[in-house]
Amino acid sequence: KAIAKILTHCNVKFAVLGTEESCTGDPARRAGNEFTFQMQAQMNIQVLNGYEVKRIVTGCPHCFNTLKNEYPELGGNYEVLHHTQLIRDLINTGKLVLQNGGVFKGKKITFHDPCYLGRANDVYEAPRNLIEKLDSEFVEMKRCKTNGLCCGAQSHCQNFNPL
């Protein structure tokens, strides 16, 4: 809802699929259920291609990765942006103007790099650019970017050491 509010405020033309929108299938694939992933992905691609979708904005790093890197092999070829990339671009082009940092003014803020946004897709700067535009103090974590500490939920993630 927040992304839709920003897009509306900036007069960006967009659509939401509503009841036709479904999970990308990422959780099924990561859990080893390739059949369910394939079914979900094919249904989504059919809907997206039916509407001639060219560009997708997502708030979820897992969905971002799946739509960007896994859907093309199934016929789903889209420009996929993480919401931080889009919002950064709206600010940089002057379509969105931040005012006084709001509730973040004077606060210390950090950012935890999600594996599927950072290590899997090399998107590190967009979230930081947004935080830096707030009237706050950005503090980098000791473990960040390519050395970020993963939650360990995904088998491919590096740097996970079980206790």
Side-chain angles (χ1 to χ4, degrees):
K1 288 181 180 180
I3 296 169
K5 284 181 182 179
I6 291 170
L7 295 175
T8 300
H9 175 80
C10 295
N11 296 316
V12 174
K13 191 174 168 185
F14 72 98
V16 177
L17 296 177
T19 58
E20 292 182 274
E21 191 167 322
S22 178
C23 177
T24 61
D26 174 78
R29 181 170 253 187
R30 303 298 162 237
N33 191 338
E34 186 64 20
F35 177 77
T36 299
F37 167 75
Q38 292 283 331
M39 295 300 293
Q40 286 182 296
Q42 290 294 346
M43 287 188 317
N44 288 334
I45 291 167
Q46 185 176 16
V47 169
L48 293 166
N49 289 348
Y51 284 113
E52 298 180 2
V53 169
K54 304 287 184 239
R55 188 179 207 197
I56 299 172
V57 177
T58 179
C60 171
H62 287 258
C63 295
F64 172 79
N65 180 71
T66 302
L67 291 164
K68 181 178 181 192
N69 299 314
E70 298 176 13
Y71 271 37
E73 67 190 26
L74 302 171
N77 297 293
Y78 317 104
E79 177 189 359
V80 183
L81 295 172
H82 188 256
H83 72 281
T84 58
Q85 295 172 307
L86 176 67
I87 294 168
R88 178 199 56 201
D89 294 346
L90 290 170
I91 291 170
N92 289 344
T93 58
K95 293 179 182 175
L96 180 62
V97 178
L98 299 179
Q99 297 175 349
N100 302 325
V103 297
F104 301 106
K105 187 173 184 158
K107 306 270 176 137
K108 284 186 180 182
I109 301 176
T110 192
F111 181 75
H112 178 266
D113 294 288
C115 297
Y116 278 104
L117 192 59
R119 284 195 297 264
N121 288 286
D122 202 34
V123 175
Y124 295 109
E125 296 312 314
R128 287 168 172 79
N129 293 155
L130 294 180
I131 294 169
E132 289 167 355
K133 296 214 183 270
L134 300 173
D135 192 8
S136 63
E137 178 186 352
F138 177 68
V139 180
E140 197 69 82
M141 291 179 150
K142 182 186 259 186
R143 300 278 308 260
C144 64
K145 298 185 180 179
T146 57
N147 194 34
L149 185 60
C150 174
C151 65
Q154 306 300 324
S155 61
H156 82 281
C157 293
Q158 305 166 14
N159 302 326
F160 175 65
N161 296 312
L163 299 176

